[in-house]
Amino acid sequence: MSQALFSEPQTPLTEEKRIGLIDAFLRVLPDESVLRADEELLPYESDGLAVYQQKPPVVVLPETVEQVQAILKICSREGVPVVARGAGTGLSGGALPLANGIVLGMAKFNQIIDIDEHARTATVQPGVRNLAISEAASDYNLYYAPDPSSQIACTIGGNVAENSGGVHCLKYGLTVHNVLQVTAVTIHGDVITFGGTAPDTPGYDLLGVLHGSEGMLAVTVEIVVKLLPRPATTRLLMAAFDNVDNAGNAVADIIGSGIIPAGLEMMDNPAIIAAEAFAQCGYPTDAEALFLCELDGTEEEVSDQMAKVEKIIARHNVTKLHLAKDETERMMLWKGRKSAFPAVGRLSPDYYCIDGTIPRRHLSTVLQKMAEWSEDYKLRIANVFHAGDGNLHPLILFDANIPGELERTEELGGKILELCVEVGGTITGEHGVGMEKINQMCVQFDANEITQFHALKNAFDPDALLNPGKAIPTLNRCAEFGALHVHHGELPHSDLERF
Amino acid sequence: MQDNDATKLLEQQVKQAIAEKQPFNIRAGGSKDFIGVVADTVPTVDVSAHRGVVAYEPTELVITARTGTLIHTIKSTLAEHGQMLAFEPPLYTADATIGGTVAAAVSGPSRPYLGGVRDHVLGCRLINGQGHLLKFGGEVMKNVAGYDVTRLMTGAMGTLGLLMDVSLKVVPIAEHEVTLRQELDIHSALTRLQQLAGESPLITAAAWHDGALHIRLAGVENAVSVAASTFGGEKIEANFWSELNNHQHAFFDVDTPLWRLSVPPLTPELDINGATLYDWAGMQRWCFSNENAEKIRATAVAAGGHAQLYKADDKLKRTAGTFHPPSNEIMTLHKNIKNEFDPLGLFNPGRLYAAI
C-alpha cells in the first residue's frame, strides 16, 4: 500500500540535503538549469491558484528526455518528491511546490516536432502552448480541438495532466479524446510510450489513466495529438432570457432535439454585466441569462440546424435572439465569454473560481441555492456555465485583505462543490483537484474508493514521490475534514465511511 | 427477462471467492466467449441476471445500465428518443451485453469517426478484489475527480474487477444516412479515404472489401445528398455495416484463424497471406491467415500497429496468445495494477494475458 496513505508529507528539506541535491543535479544539468537562489525560485511559488504559495527548495529545467530521466533517478534514489510543472496556469494548485521536494519545470520542452498533414497528427513536446499547436497546423487547414480559456498560455503537457476541456468539448471531446500517444518517464527513470496512432492499444487503457492524473503517475515528455480539419462553416447565435430557467430549458430542448452544438456557453446577469463592461461585445446587460450557441460543419448542415435551433429557442420566451452577422462579430461575442474571468476580476480585488459539474437539469436548483448562500456569506457570485456539458464555474468575489474573507470564500466554495456532488455531479469538471479541492474528494468518494486510488498510484509510483499529497487525500485528512464539518454541524452525507 | 438488481448476490459471490481464494470467469451473454483465453478449470460467475437501465436522461445525453443489460435493450431504449451508442457495439450474438462490450472495448465501423467505447464511458461501479463495491466517474461529461478508473476498466477484459454498471455518453441518431459503393483497388481506396477524412465531416464508416470502397455518410438530409453526389458510386443497403460489424457478412464464413490488425492511418497493404477486409478507413483489418503468429505480429509492429488473434481454436490461442503482448515496461505496469485491484488473482485469470 502507498506510503503516503496514512501520513501527510512535508518536513522541509534540510540545508544539507538541499545542497547535496543541487550538486547531484549539476552533474547532469547545466548550471542555468538548476535554479536555487531565492529570486529564481520566487516565480515558482504558486501556479494559477495564487492563494496557495510555497517556495520550492530547488527548481530544475531540463531540456532533454535523458535529463528528465537523470533527475527522476536522483529523486527516486534520494526519496525526494517531484512536482512537474508546465506553464503554471492550473487553477487548483496542482503545481503548488512542496517544501520537501523539487519543481520539475518542463518549459524548455517547447518544440513542435512534427505535423503530419496526411495522418492529421502533431507530435509535440509537453511545454508547447495549446494554441501554438492550432497555429502551426493552420497552414494545413487543421486544428487541435480542445480549447481551454487559458489556451494562449497553458501547455499541452498540463492539459494532459488535467484532462482539460474548453468551450467546444461537448462535440469534440476533452484532451483524453484528442491525444493518441504519450511518452512519459516513470519515477524510476524509465521511458514508456502509452497509446499509439493505431487504434485500441492492447491491454489496459493506461493512456486514459494518465489523463487527468495531475502529474502523480509519470512525467510526460512527448505527446501525439489528433488534428481535425477546420469546419467549412461556423455560425454563432446569442440568445438572452429574463430568467435562468428559460435559458436552461432551451438548452435541454436543443440537445434533446438531436443537435450537438460545437459550443454552448451560458452566463448569468452578474457575469454578463462584467463581461460587457470589459469587452463591450454587445451583450444585453438587462438579461438574467444569456447563452452563445455555436454550430459548425458543412454549409448545408449548419444552415439546416441553425434554423431548427432558432425555432426551439423561440419557444422559450427568449428576449433577444441575435445571429452574429460576420466573423468579426462572432469573435467579438466569444471575446466577452472568454474574458469573463478577468472581467469579473475587475469588479473585485480577488475572485475564486469554482469548477463543479452538475447534471444540467439541476441548474436552476443549484443557482437558487447559491443565490441564498451568497446572501448568507455576504459574498457576490457570478456564474459562467459550459451549458452543453454541465460544467459550472461560479466566481466568488472577495477581498483577501479583509481578515477572514478568504476563509469564508473557501468555505462557501466547498459548500458549492458539495452541492454539486449531492445533485449527482462532481467537484471538478476540468480544473483538477490539486490542493484546492482535496477535502471535497472525501465527500465525493468513500474510504475504499480513495484507498483504490492510492493503490493505482502505487502501481506506478510505489514510493509516492510524484506530486504527493495532491489530488487524492489521505484517509487521515478526510477524517480531520469530516471532524471539522461535524463541528460546524453541517456534515454532508453523514453516512459516509470515515476514519 | 425482467429488470433485476443482483448487486447483493454478486457481492456475496465475490466475497465467497475471496474467502475460498477461488478464481472465476465472469460471463453475461457469452457472445464474446471466443475473445481471449477463457480459463477452463475455474467456475463462472454469471452476471446476466443483473440487468436493466438504471437511469436515462435524453437531454443530458447519458444512460446508465447494469452490466447484464442486453445491447438490444439499450439500443431500443435510446432509439425511442432518437439516440444511439456512437461506437456501434457489435452483436456477435443477440445476447451481447453492455458489460461485455465495455470489458472487451469492442467498437463498430464508426470507431475512427465517432470514437470507440473508451471515448464514451463516463462512470462505473465495480467490485474489486477485496470485495468492496466502488463507484468511479459519474453521469456527467466532464469529471476529473480522481484517476480515470472507468477507462482503466474499459478493455481490461474483466481482469480488474466485476463491473456492476456503466454510464455512457450517447449521441443523436443522424437524420439521414446513405451507404455508397465504389469499385476501387485497395491502394487507391486507402489514398482516397485519407483524402476524404480531411474533407468531409459526414463520413461515419469506411471499409474496403472485394474490390470496392464502401462509405457511409450521415447528417442532415440536404448535407448528405450534396456529399453523396460529390463522392459518387452506387447506393447500397445499410445492412452492409451491421453484417460486417457482427461478423455475419459472407467474408467471415471461413474456418481459418481470424486476426484483427490495428494499424496507423496511411498504412499500405501488409505482407500477410490471407483474405483481408479493411475497416476503419484501413486502420482495422480483418485477416484470415494461417501464417505464423510471430510473423503476423512482427508485420503489424513494423507498421506501427498490433495484431490480435481474434478467433481461433483453443490450442492456437493458448500457444500464440490472443491479445498483442505489450512492451516489458507496460507488462510490468499491468501486473502491478492487477495486483492493486485483484491481489488474489480472482477475476478472469489469463483471459487477457497469461501472466495476469
Side-chain angles (χ1 to χ4, degrees):
Chain A
M1 201 44 63
S2 165
Q3 293 187 0
L5 191 52
F6 295 103
S7 62
E8 295 283 301
Q10 302 236 10
T11 313
L13 284 188
T14 61
E15 192 54 21
E16 189 191 348
K17 180 118 183 173
R18 192 176 95 98
I19 288 165
L21 265 182
I22 291 168
D23 282 347
F25 290 141
L26 286 172
R27 266 176 250 134
V28 295
L29 293 169
D31 189 83
E32 70 271 15
S33 300
V34 184
L35 311 185
R36 65 262 199 201
D38 268 6
E39 66 273 16
E40 295 175 315
L41 298 173
L42 220 55
Y44 293 89
E45 69 179 4
S46 69
D47 61 7
L49 183 67
V51 292
Y52 295 151
Q53 294 169 353
Q54 169 66 52
K55 193 181 75 181
V58 186
V59 175
V60 286
L61 302 173
E63 51 193 321
T64 67
V65 174
E66 291 73 24
Q67 289 174 351
V68 174
Q69 289 177 273
I71 291 164
L72 290 170
K73 279 179 185 163
I74 291 168
C75 291
S76 179
R77 187 183 70 217
E78 300 295 323
V80 172
V82 180
V83 179
R85 176 185 165 110
T89 58
L91 292 170
S92 58
L96 178 73
L98 302 170
N100 61 341
I102 65 154
V103 168
L104 175 58
M106 296 300 285
K108 290 186 176 176
F109 281 77
N110 59 0
Q111 298 300 306
I112 294 177
I113 296 165
D114 179 46
I115 290 185
D116 184 334
E117 63 165 309
H118 301 293
R120 291 182 308 284
T121 58
T123 304
V124 302
Q125 293 188 320
V128 170
R129 291 174 305 112
N130 172 298
L131 190 60
I133 301 174
S134 290
E135 285 169 353
S138 68
D139 292 349
Y140 311 104
N141 202 33
L142 298 169
Y143 76 112
Y144 173 66
D147 58 342
S149 293
S150 56
Q151 69 181 151
I152 192 165
C154 65
T155 63
I156 185 72
N159 291 175
V160 170
E162 303 296 329
N163 192 15
S164 307
V167 298
H168 288 98
C169 53
L170 180 66
K171 183 166 178 180
Y172 294 106
L174 308 163
T175 304
V176 69
H177 303 109
N178 289 277
V179 168
L180 299 169
Q181 179 181 304
V182 164
T183 303
V185 183
T186 66
I187 187 65
H188 304 114
D190 297 326
V191 181
I192 304 184
T193 297
F194 299 91
T197 50
D200 296 348
T201 305
Y204 300 151
D205 189 352
L206 303 181
L207 179 67
V209 173
L210 283 187
H211 281 82
S213 65
E214 305 197 19
M216 296 177 60
L217 302 180
V219 176
T220 302
V221 290
E222 190 181 289
I223 300 160
V224 180
V225 302
K226 199 156 77 175
L227 301 173
L228 299 181
R230 285 212 175 272
T233 307
T234 304
R235 251 174 244 141
L236 182 70
L237 185 75
M238 175 178 74
F241 301 83
D242 56 14
N243 76 57
V244 174
D245 280 355
N246 286 340
N249 292 337
V251 167
D253 259 10
I254 291 170
I255 292 173
S257 78
I259 294 169
I260 305 291
L264 196 51
E265 290 295 310
M266 200 192 283
M267 303 162 83
D268 71 357
N269 178 263
I272 296 168
I273 291 174
E276 179 60 22
F278 186 84
Q280 285 102 41
C281 47
Y283 293 168
T285 51
D286 57 344
E288 282 303 315
L290 168 158
F291 67 71
L292 301 176
C293 175
E294 183 160 282
L295 299 179
D296 66 15
T298 66
E299 175 59 35
E300 299 80 20
E301 211 181 2
V302 173
S303 306
D304 181 284
Q305 294 196 333
M306 193 52 96
K308 285 176 187 154
V309 166
E310 288 188 60
K311 261 190 211 153
I312 292 168
I313 294 175
R315 292 203 296 262
H316 292 277
N317 298 320
V318 62
T319 53
K320 185 174 182 186
L321 192 60
H322 178 74
L323 189 65
K325 61 181 183 300
D326 53 24
E327 193 58 12
T328 313
E329 195 187 10
R330 185 175 81 84
M331 296 317 286
M332 196 62 183
L333 288 170
W334 268 126
K335 191 182 169 210
R337 164 60 187 88
K338 288 207 172 185
S339 53
F341 288 16
V344 167
R346 291 211 312 191
L347 300 183
S348 167
D350 301 284
Y351 70 92
Y352 198 89
C353 175
I354 315 282
D355 173 45
T357 304
I358 55 170
R360 200 183 329 95
R361 62 189 178 278
H362 297 299
L363 176 63
S364 161
T365 321
V366 170
L367 290 182
Q368 178 68 37
K369 199 83 201 161
M370 272 199 273
E372 284 168 26
W373 289 340
S374 170
E375 297 258 315
D376 295 349
Y377 280 80
K378 305 215 174 346
L379 291 166
R380 289 178 293 163
I381 303 178
N383 277 289
V384 295
F385 185 45
H386 300 301
D389 49 44
N391 190 194
L392 188 63
H393 292 309
L395 302 167
I396 306 176
L397 281 55
F398 73 104
D399 183 349
N401 287 328
I402 300 174
E405 196 149 307
L406 171 63
E407 290 71 22
R408 281 206 342 272
T409 301
E410 285 183 317
E411 190 180 307
L412 172 57
K415 276 178 82 159
I416 294 172
L417 292 181
E418 286 155 32
L419 178 64
C420 291
V421 176
E422 204 175 296
V423 300
T426 175
I427 59 169
T428 175
E430 57 183 357
H431 295 171
V433 174
M435 216 43 232
E436 182 204 19
K437 294 179 266 294
I438 196 129
N439 288 339
Q440 280 71 37
M441 283 292 282
C442 317
V443 178
Q444 187 162 338
F445 296 98
D446 72 20
N448 289 328
E449 289 154 354
I450 286 169
T451 302
Q452 189 67 70
F453 282 141
H454 284 291
L456 180 55
K457 177 173 171 62
N458 197 44
F460 286 81
D461 176 22
D463 297 319
L465 293 177
L466 291 171
N467 217 5
K470 310 281 179 62
I472 314 294
T474 59
L475 294 179
N476 272 348
R477 188 179 182 111
C478 286
E480 280 165 29
F481 174 65
L484 177 80
H485 270 222
V486 173
H487 176 68
H488 285 120
E490 54 196 24
L491 178 69
H493 301 276
S494 52
D495 57 342
L496 195 75
E497 269 189 65
R498 280 159 203 282
F499 273 62
Chain B
M1 204 192 281
Q2 291 265 305
D3 279 9
N4 178 41
D5 180 359
T7 307
K8 287 261 165 342
L9 177 71
L10 291 167
E11 269 187 291
Q12 225 170 39
Q13 285 178 284
V14 174
K15 281 180 177 151
Q16 192 182 340
I18 292 170
E20 294 167 3
K21 294 197 170 56
Q22 173 60 60
F24 57 88
N25 293 320
I26 303 167
R27 189 174 193 267
S31 76
K32 288 177 275 291
D33 279 346
F34 64 88
I35 301 181
V37 178
V38 179
D40 52 11
T41 54
V42 301
T44 295
V45 167
D46 182 354
V47 297
S48 60
H50 183 61
R51 60 171 65 191
V53 171
V54 181
Y56 172 41
E57 197 58 52
T59 66
E60 309 264 358
L61 303 174
V62 178
I63 191 165
T64 299
R66 297 188 185 105
T67 38
T69 313
L70 294 179
I71 292 292
H72 271 306
T73 308
I74 291 182
K75 281 172 83 168
S76 59
T77 306
L78 294 174
E80 278 174 38
H81 295 272
Q83 296 182 337
M84 63 174 193
L85 296 173
F87 51 87
E88 294 184 289
L91 294 161
Y92 297 126
T93 75
D95 296 327
T97 63
I98 192 63
T101 298
V102 171
V106 283
S107 312
S110 60
R111 167 76 173 94
Y113 304 98
L114 305 180
V117 183
R118 56 98 65 182
D119 296 307
H120 295 88
V121 292
L122 299 174
C124 69
R125 283 192 319 148
L126 63 99
I127 303 173
N128 70 3
Q130 273 101 28
H132 296 137
L133 181 63
L134 310 175
K135 181 175 183 292
F136 298 104
E139 298 188 302
V140 289
M141 305 284 160
K142 277 161 104 178
N143 187 353
V144 289
Y147 302 119
D148 196 341
V149 176
T150 311
R151 257 185 200 91
L152 182 63
M153 296 298 288
T154 308
M157 292 303 294
T159 58
L160 296 178
L162 183 57
L163 270 177
M164 298 304 295
D165 53 48
V166 290
S167 298
L168 298 158
K169 180 182 176 183
V170 302
V171 298
I173 296 173
E175 156 190 323
H176 192 68
E177 199 180 277
V178 66
T179 294
L180 298 163
R181 180 181 184 280
Q182 196 177 62
E183 304 256 329
L184 218 53
D185 65 74
I186 180 60
H187 179 73
S188 317
L190 290 172
T191 314
R192 179 102 173 96
L193 279 172
Q194 210 41 52
Q195 177 199 350
L196 280 169
E199 283 168 11
S200 175
L202 300 173
I203 300 178
T204 60
W208 184 91
H209 168 60
D210 201 16
L213 175 61
H214 301 70
I215 281 196
R216 184 175 62 194
L217 300 162
V220 302
E221 188 167 0
N222 192 8
V224 170
S225 305
V226 171
S229 61
T230 320
F231 176 70
E234 54 163 333
K235 278 187 193 172
I236 62 163
E237 292 295 322
N239 63 5
F240 170 80
W241 301 109
S242 57
E243 287 177 2
L244 159 58
N245 192 17
N246 302 339
H247 289 194
Q248 287 153 351
H249 189 280
F251 169 82
F252 292 95
D253 288 341
V254 182
D255 200 19
T256 304
L258 174 62
W259 287 85
R260 171 184 178 253
L261 302 161
S262 175
V263 291
L266 303 171
T267 303
E269 291 173 81
L270 298 175
D271 176 27
I272 297 171
N273 284 326
T276 305
L277 187 152
Y278 295 68
D279 195 3
W280 296 6
M283 290 189 281
Q284 175 171 259
R285 301 178 184 185
W286 296 107
C287 180
F288 286 100
S289 179
N290 277 314
E291 285 212 64
N292 172 291
E294 276 175 28
K295 190 235 161 175
I296 292 176
R297 291 216 157 101
T299 308
V301 169
H306 42 89
Q308 177 186 357
L309 179 56
Y310 209 70
K311 220 171 186 175
D313 59 49
D314 259 21
K315 192 172 158 237
L316 180 60
K317 287 205 296 188
R318 279 173 207 280
T319 51
T322 56
F323 290 91
H324 194 100
S327 68
N328 290 339
E329 292 86 359
I330 296 269
M331 184 52 102
T332 302
L333 284 172
H334 273 66
K335 289 178 189 165
N336 292 350
I337 291 170
K338 169 78 174 173
N339 187 46
E340 297 290 356
F341 277 79
D342 178 21
L344 298 173
L346 302 177
F347 304 111
N348 274 357
R351 183 84 189 249
L352 178 63
Y353 294 117
I356 52 173

